Amino acid sequence: MTENRAGRPTTALHHLVLGGAAVTTGLMAGTFYVFSCAVMPALGRSGDRTFVEVMQNINDVIENPVFFAGFLGALFLTAAAAWQWRRSPGPRGWLFAALAVYALAFLFTCGINVPLNNTLADAGDPARIADPAAVRERFEDTWVVWNAVRAVLCTAALALLLRAAYLVARHPRTRAGRAQESAYLASAAGSSASR
């Protein structure tokens, strides 16, 4: 166990939680980034029925424990890190900013992208949709825009977490550690001065 700059105890758990927050947030930023720069542009070249079918399949298979571990993990681990470091002036502000930014991405996902996914699923079997172009039109542009927004927000949250981690790593020594180091340096200086 060590102490942070304010003299409060920190443990390896604090560092693991902060690292976990960065990893899960990075995974979410990467997920939304890939949709923005590859998946949606590729689907944009597809016919209406193919577009609807593939997006329905994606929305169905993405609801799995691995995705939710990242999606929920980023929120909960960032909140936990912000709470653990709340009395540490260096990383505190960066962590709370990361939490706020990721919370926005989380809310946009739940409030905009997921309802659009549900509407697309409710359209039914793509082979039986009478007007797949209309279904696609109600979905595609809005979903793509808000996916780009959440990709940017997740990337920003990751950058804020990395800044917080840098500040934590930059000052790893405890007060006691600095005092011991100072005593060591003083004794070494004294012994060399006496030679």
Side-chain angles (χ1 to χ4, degrees):
M1 187 182 297
T2 61
E3 293 180 356
N4 63 23
R5 293 183 75 192
R8 292 181 175 77
T10 61
T11 64
L13 180 62
H14 288 75
H15 298 282
L16 286 173
V17 169
L18 179 53
V23 168
T24 53
T25 302
L27 289 170
M28 296 316 304
T31 298
F32 299 141
Y33 170 78
V34 167
F35 269 97
S36 287
C37 71
V39 175
M40 299 312 291
L43 281 176
R45 297 178 175 185
S46 303
D48 298 329
R49 208 171 297 278
T50 300
F51 176 90
V52 171
E53 180 180 8
V54 171
M55 281 307 298
Q56 284 179 341
N57 289 336
I58 289 172
N59 294 333
D60 185 44
V61 301
I62 204 164
E63 293 182 10
N64 64 68
V66 175
F67 174 79
F68 285 120
F71 184 60
L72 297 173
L75 182 66
F76 293 132
L77 289 170
T78 302
W83 178 256
Q84 288 174 332
W85 295 96
R86 71 192 179 280
R87 293 189 179 109
S88 300
R92 175 183 55 210
W94 298 97
L95 289 168
F96 279 104
L99 178 60
V101 171
Y102 185 80
L104 280 175
F106 186 90
L107 291 173
F108 289 148
T109 298
C110 294
I112 299 171
N113 292 88
V114 169
L116 284 168
N117 294 345
N118 293 339
T119 301
L120 192 66
D122 292 343
D125 182 355
R128 296 182 179 169
I129 295 173
D131 189 0
V135 171
R136 178 179 183 168
E137 187 176 337
R138 288 189 296 269
F139 175 88
E140 185 175 19
D141 290 342
T142 305
W143 196 96
V144 166
V145 166
W146 286 102
N147 181 70
V149 168
R150 64 188 180 168
V152 169
L153 289 171
C154 287
T155 303
L158 176 60
L160 292 165
L161 285 167
L162 293 176
R163 175 65 179 163
Y166 169 78
L167 292 173
V168 167
R170 188 172 168 211
H171 299 287
R173 294 190 180 108
T174 65
R175 285 183 180 179
R178 283 194 295 274
Q180 289 170 356
E181 181 181 279
S182 298
Y184 171 77
L185 291 175
S187 68
S191 63
S192 62
S194 63
R195 287 186 217 159

